[in-house]
Structure formats: C-alpha cells, structure tokens
Amino acid sequence: MATTLIGALERELAGRRAAGLHRARRTLASAQGPRVVVDGVPLLAFASNDYLGLANDPALVAAACEGAHRWGTGAGASHLVCGHQAPHAALEEALAACAGPCEGARALLMSSGYLANLAILTALAGRGDAVFADRLNHACLNDGALLARADLVRYPHLDVDALARRLAASRARRKLIATDAVFSMDGDLAPLPRLLDLAEEHDAWLVVDDAHGFGVLGGGRGSVRAAGLTSERIVVMGTLGKAAGVAGAFVAAHPAVVDTIVQTARPYVYTTAAPALLACALLAALDVLRGGGGDRRRARLSALVERFRAGAAQLPWTLLPSSTPIQALVTGTSDSAVALSNALLARGVLVPAIRPPTVPEGTARLRVSLSAAHDAADVDRLLDALRGAAG
Ligand SMILES: Cc1ncc(COP(=O)(O)O)c(C=O)c1O
C-alpha cells in the first residue's frame, strides 16, 4: 500500500505520461559515437554533443589510462583542500591560453558546466543585482541567477534592442548579461559583439556560455575568439564533455574573477575535484582541438552540416537557421516530435525529441546533432529516414 507521499508522486508522473512529457533514459551498450547499441539494437545516432568525435578517440583513451596509472582514479578532495593535482593545473594553463577572453586571463576547472554557471553567477551577482538573460538560455544560467538571489530579467531571443531597454530601465546595483553563445536547442548564435557594446555602455559583465562553441568555433578556441572579442568584462564558460570529448567545464576570465570564484563560489568550493585522469585526457583533447587534426574535423563537420541542411530544407518540418552542428527540425506538438523520433527509430536512426519545458510550448522538435565522426553516407541515411517518415 503506497503512502500518500508516493501516491502524490505517482499521480504527477501519470499526468506527465498523459501529456506526452514523460522522459525515459536509454542505456547504451556501446561507447559514444555515431553507431550505438541500445537494447541490443544497433542504431545510427545523431543525438550526442560529441561534435568532433573525441569521446572515444584512442589518443584520449590512452591519455586517460596513463593518467589513471600515474594519478589514480580519484582526486580525493576538493581543489581547495588537497584535490588539486598537477594535471589540473596544467590543463587550467592550457585552457587560459586557448580560450581566455583578455590579456593575462586565467582558467578554472569545474566538475560540470551546470556547476560552472552556478559558480560564475553566484560569485558575480547577489541580492539587488540583475541578471539579463536571453529567453532561450540554458536552464543552468537561469538557475545561477536564482541561486544568486539576483533579479532575473529575461529578454526575447536575440533581441538586442529589448535588452538595451531593460538595461536602461534597471536600477540594479550590478548588472550582468548572460547568454548562450550557441543556443543549445536551436543552434543559432548570440550577437556577441553587440552584447559586449551594451555591456560596456552599462558597465555590465558579459557571461558567455560557450558549451556548444568551444572546440567547434574560432579554430576550436570558441565563440568569443571567433568573434574577435577581448575584454576584461567577458567571462567565458566552456564545457569539456561536449566537443572536447571528456567531462567537466572551465571558466576563463580576468584573474580577479577567477580568484573571486575560488574564494566565494560554493559550487566550486564544496565539491570534490574531478579525477586527474580526466585532466590528462583533456590535455590530449586540447592537442587535437588546437592542431591540424582539429581543423580537419571541423572542416568535415561543416561539410556535413551543409549536406544535412540542403536535404532537410525539402522536408515538411521547419528547419531552424543554424550553421552549427545543432540542427533543429520543429514539428510543433510534443506528440508529433515523439512520433517522428519513433518513426526514425523504427528505421534504425536515433534522433531525440526535445519537448517543453526544454523548448517553448508549441516548438517541440527533433534535435539533430552532427559529429565529425559521421560521414556523408550517414547523413544521407538520416535524410532518407526522414523522407520515409514524412510519408
Ligand atoms: C548551453 C549549455 N550550458 C551548460 C550546459 C551544462 O554543461 P554540463 O553538461 O557540463 O553540466 C549545457 C549542457 O549540458 C548546455 O547546453
């Protein structure tokens, strides 16, 4: 006999199922890559954020193994206690040089992008301050503003004029503009130069979440470098579990920002450091990202994006504008997105349906993500499956 507490949860879960919003995990019986095995069934996948195909790259795997032999499996403590090991320090230096947004920038490793955004926002904003956020920002930027107890002021997607009006009307003590650089469910780009102009005009911080740009744009150095911007008021957050193929995240910013996070940000201070073996794998990933191998992977990825867009433009669903590996086909209702995803699954192709609240009501979609590990024939097979599902 379920308690009333359990009963209440079960009613809520049943409501989710009835609304087509219930989410289920798939267990992969394979490493990440274009070809995965789910429930014993081999599938061609366009679902991960492994944009450069590094998540199962032999050089990274070898570096992780060597790292485990040299440094063990666990960091054993938070960075401030005694979990900060030499590979963490080396990786921070390399990341600062690669993606720092200003002269003398430093980088700080975090265990995840989610925690990194919480750390940045709580370190730079508090009660009486205001965080100005694009309406399509990732949830963790909004959660950071809430945790900081700052006012969260959202502006319509990419609408710089609306942002300017909100900034001008604000009486907040400190102002912070927060934006995804590449929007995670749409794949389009934030107008970073114009956002920096506004940040300068209003003496605000500009926090750039480059989860989907780092490794892919700007020769791998990310969206801020791609836009040619440098400023002490820019704080970059890059994730290391997407294009970089491993796990974790970093903040790259002026040393005063980094030190403030180290001193004050609870999502940094009160959590165990990621294992050093991951830092070893990430040092190997950076070698690829910044080198000719990275350029070749990015060129291949761009060609696959173009191939997909040329084919998808003929389909009955709305293909959102995007030059990045994130390609969204909007179907509308949650049911229609799930039905299309299932129709592809029946054809051996895995593309996730993305539903509210992750995307706005009425814009449920398939989120196709392309990887340099795909080839042209994979993209053609996806397009055939979509044509078949369109009937
Ligand atoms: C835009 C954006 N920011 C932050 C994150 C969080 O990063 P992580 O998965 O490393 O926690 C994600 C995705 O997970 C993301 O898409």
Side-chain angles (χ1 to χ4, degrees):
M1 172 72 181
T3 65
T4 47
L5 294 173
I6 298 291
L9 292 184
E10 284 176 340
R11 277 192 299 283
E12 275 172 35
L13 290 167
R16 274 181 182 273
R17 277 194 199 93
L21 294 177
H22 192 261
R23 300 167 183 220
R25 298 172 300 169
R26 294 188 171 87
T27 304
L28 272 62
S30 57
Q32 192 55 265
R35 278 156 200 80
V36 295
V37 178
V38 179
D39 297 331
V41 181
L43 296 171
L44 175 61
F46 295 87
S48 80
N49 300 308
D50 179 25
Y51 302 123
L52 297 184
L54 288 176
N56 189 25
D57 184 271
L60 274 67
V61 172
C65 292
E66 279 167 36
H69 285 297
R70 171 78 175 81
W71 301 99
T73 51
S78 66
H79 284 278
L80 280 172
V81 174
C82 69
H84 192 66
Q85 295 173 295
H88 297 122
L91 180 58
E92 287 183 344
E93 257 186 50
L95 287 167
C98 178
C102 62
E103 192 68 36
R106 277 179 57 199
L108 185 70
L109 274 179
M110 301 283 311
S111 304
S112 75
Y114 193 102
L115 285 179
N117 278 340
L118 297 187
I120 294 168
L121 293 212
T122 54
L124 298 183
R127 253 187 242 283
D129 300 333
V131 173
F132 298 83
D134 188 292
R135 191 160 275 285
L136 295 191
N137 275 353
H138 193 264
C140 57
L141 283 169
N142 296 340
D143 291 357
L146 297 177
L147 190 62
R149 298 184 174 84
D151 289 336
L152 176 61
V153 183
R154 299 173 84 193
Y155 58 89
H157 185 46
L158 307 182
D159 190 340
V160 180
D161 295 331
L163 169 61
R165 287 194 294 277
R166 284 162 174 70
L167 282 163
S170 170
R171 296 280 152 265
R173 204 166 42 107
R174 283 182 303 187
K175 298 174 188 172
L176 187 154
I177 301 169
T179 187
D180 284 17
V182 177
F183 288 87
S184 56
M185 296 299 141
D186 294 55
D188 54 348
L189 306 178
L192 293 181
R194 295 181 68 201
L195 295 181
L196 181 58
D197 287 345
L198 280 180
E200 272 161 8
E201 202 178 308
H202 294 274
D203 195 21
W205 294 105
L206 177 58
V207 175
V208 178
D209 175 337
D210 207 16
H212 300 276
F214 179 71
V216 176
L217 302 176
R221 291 161 186 267
S223 301
V224 170
R225 294 284 182 104
L229 304 177
T230 46
S231 170
E232 293 182 352
R233 65 179 69 248
I234 297 179
V235 179
V236 175
M237 194 291 287
T239 54
L240 300 170
K242 297 183 168 54
V246 186
F250 67 91
V251 180
H254 188 279
V257 173
V258 168
D259 201 27
T260 301
I261 294 174
V262 172
Q263 303 306 318
T264 67
R266 298 161 71 93
Y268 181 75
V269 174
Y270 294 110
T271 192
T272 300
L277 71 92
L278 299 186
C280 296
L282 282 160
L283 284 162
L286 281 192
D287 281 347
V288 178
L289 277 184
R290 292 171 306 187
D295 290 337
R296 277 191 297 282
R297 286 170 198 247
R298 283 182 287 272
R300 181 181 168 104
L301 189 53
S302 298
L304 295 174
V305 168
E306 273 178 37
R307 191 177 188 93
F308 175 75
R309 288 192 69 79
Q314 320 300 324
L315 294 167
W317 306 285
T318 308
L319 177 66
L320 297 185
S322 160
S323 56
T324 68
I326 301 168
Q327 297 290 322
L329 272 178
V330 176
T331 63
T333 62
S334 295
D335 284 347
S336 62
V338 172
L340 181 53
S341 178
N342 286 340
L344 295 182
L345 213 49
R347 291 167 170 81
V349 178
L350 174 63
V351 183
I354 309 289
R355 294 166 275 175
T358 307
V359 291
E361 209 59 54
T363 71
R365 66 197 62 186
L366 287 195
R367 178 184 187 267
V368 173
S369 58
L370 296 159
S371 165
H374 288 120
D375 59 26
D378 293 335
V379 171
D380 292 348
R381 203 178 136 202
L382 167 62
L383 288 168
D384 280 347
L386 282 163
R387 280 184 214 108

